[in-house]
């Protein structure tokens, strides 16, 4: 039996990336609170993890798109449970052309990918900052940097995850709280449902490889993690270009000369 390294709350824990985080963190000695919609899968997951690793595993069936359920999950951070890590893995796709996609699917995406992730991160941040320790892991996507046709809402939600996580990193950097944004490429999961994935097989990574890579990055103190990026200087150059652009945008309040009507 492993000695406990604290308790981790994982959303989207019944399958895919979230389920692998549950397995890997249980193996590292974490107790777990598993949040997802499907009780039967959570029960199976909890039994397996307890048998395999001796971890204490609590299941918490909840639909994060529903205000009442989200509120109940938020309350876990201020109850008697000693949560010191949050993994925001739950996510929805709502893929399809923006002019045709089901608006209810988009509403659910925003509620889960943006609102739930934000509220859980903020309540965790407040609790962790008071203790001066804790870890928040937010699952983003490389589509945060790639606005593409057919994934407008999803891409935008993951751009939000990246910027939100970076802002939290800046705010919490001196408080002992770690915030990591994991930005995977294509991952084998249930994301596409029964539909064939619209990408070549060689672009996909297994959820196991993704989580192992992300946890290795976390161990090394890497807070923005692109698991498939082999040359990290490319991200550094990208970010340096962003910083230069921001400097150019903040030199003053006057419009650029090209917008001067008198020059037309």
């Amino acid at each position: 039996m492993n000695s406990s390294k604290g308790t981790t709350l994982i959303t989207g824990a019944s399958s895919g990336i979230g389920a692998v985080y549950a397995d890997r963190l249980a193996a590292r000695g974490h107790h777990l609170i598993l949040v997802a919609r499907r009780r039967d899968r959570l029960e199976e997951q909890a039994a397996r993890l307890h048998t395999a690793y001796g971890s204490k595993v609590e299941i918490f069936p909840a639909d994060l798109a529903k205000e009442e359920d989200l509120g109940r999950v938020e309350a876990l951070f201020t109850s008697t449970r000693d949560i010191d890590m949050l993994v925001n893995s739950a996510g929805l796709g709502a893929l399809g052309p923006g002019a045709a996609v089901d608006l209810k699917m988009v509403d659910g995406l925003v509620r889960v990918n943006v609102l739930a992730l934000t509220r859980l991160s903020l309540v965790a941040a407040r609790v962790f900052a008071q203790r001066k320790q804790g870890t928040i892991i937010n699952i983003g996507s490389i589509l945060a940097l790639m606005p593409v046709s057919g994934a407008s809402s999803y891409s935008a939600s993951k751009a939000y995850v990246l910027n939100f996580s970076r802002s939290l990193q800046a705010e919490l950097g001196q408080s002992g709280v770690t915030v990591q944004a994991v930005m995977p490429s294509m991952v084998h999961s249930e994301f596409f449902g029964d539909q064939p994935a619209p990408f070549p097989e060689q672009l996909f990574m297994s959820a196991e490889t993704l989580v192992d890579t992300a946890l290795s990055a976390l161990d090394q103190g890497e807070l923005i993690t692109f698991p498939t990026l082999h040359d990290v200087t490319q991200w550094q150059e990208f970010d340096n270009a962003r910083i230069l652009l921001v400097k150019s945008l903040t030199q003053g309040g006057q419009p650029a000369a090209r917008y001067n009507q008198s020059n037309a």
Side-chain angles (χ1 to χ4, degrees):
M1 179 177 294
N2 294 324
S3 59
S4 175
K5 294 185 178 179
T7 298
T8 299
L9 187 149
I10 304 173
T11 70
S14 64
S15 65
I17 295 170
V20 178
Y21 264 107
D23 181 88
R24 299 307 196 252
L25 292 173
R28 289 183 173 213
H30 294 248
H31 293 320
L32 303 172
I33 301 175
L34 306 182
V35 178
R37 290 173 294 175
R38 294 170 287 193
R39 176 182 289 274
D40 57 341
R41 287 203 180 186
L42 290 177
E43 290 174 342
E44 293 172 5
Q45 178 90 325
R48 184 185 68 80
L49 294 174
H50 179 70
T51 299
Y53 305 114
S55 298
K56 177 183 176 183
V57 184
E58 178 182 353
I59 67 169
F60 202 88
D63 183 347
L64 296 179
K66 297 180 179 178
E67 172 64 29
E68 181 180 357
D69 283 11
L70 177 56
R72 291 192 301 112
V73 177
E74 283 181 301
L76 294 174
F77 286 91
T78 52
S79 68
T80 57
R81 297 166 178 83
D82 189 21
I83 301 170
D84 54 14
M85 179 181 286
L86 167 66
V87 180
N88 277 310
S89 180
L92 299 175
L95 302 179
V101 69
D102 186 335
L103 295 182
K104 289 183 179 179
M105 293 177 61
V106 175
D107 183 76
L109 176 149
V110 173
R111 289 177 181 276
V112 174
N113 295 17
V114 176
L115 181 61
L117 179 142
T118 299
R119 284 175 47 177
L120 293 179
S121 294
L122 292 180
V123 71
R126 292 166 187 172
V127 172
F128 296 168
Q130 290 176 351
R131 299 180 191 155
K132 299 191 181 303
Q133 65 175 9
T135 301
I136 299 169
I137 299 174
N138 289 330
I139 306 301
S141 167
I142 62 168
L143 289 188
L145 307 177
M146 296 169 55
V148 295
S149 174
S152 56
S153 299
Y154 182 77
S155 173
S157 74
K158 294 306 183 178
Y160 176 92
V161 170
L162 178 59
N163 279 355
F164 175 71
S165 299
R166 298 199 75 180
S167 293
L168 281 186
Q169 289 169 358
E171 295 170 4
L172 299 171
Q174 304 303 313
S175 69
V177 180
T178 298
V179 181
Q180 182 194 35
V182 180
M183 311 297 291
S185 182
M186 313 310 167
V187 179
H188 282 299
S189 69
E190 299 177 1
F191 184 79
F192 295 106
D194 297 330
Q195 300 301 315
F199 305 103
E201 174 65 23
Q202 65 267 24
L203 295 182
F204 281 80
M205 175 182 287
S206 72
E208 290 79 7
T209 299
L210 167 65
V211 174
D212 289 340
T213 303
L215 287 174
S216 175
L218 182 67
D219 292 340
Q220 296 174 47
E222 185 178 281
L223 301 184
I224 307 294
T225 299
F226 292 89
T228 54
L229 180 62
H230 293 268
D231 183 359
V232 71
T233 62
Q234 294 179 334
W235 163 248
Q236 294 166 346
E237 290 169 358
F238 179 95
D239 203 37
N240 288 337
R242 178 191 62 80
I243 292 170
L244 287 176
L245 176 61
V246 170
K247 288 182 178 178
S248 296
L249 295 172
T250 54
Q251 294 302 304
Q254 297 301 314
R258 65 181 178 279
Y259 302 123
N260 189 338
Q261 296 278 333
S262 62
N263 293 334

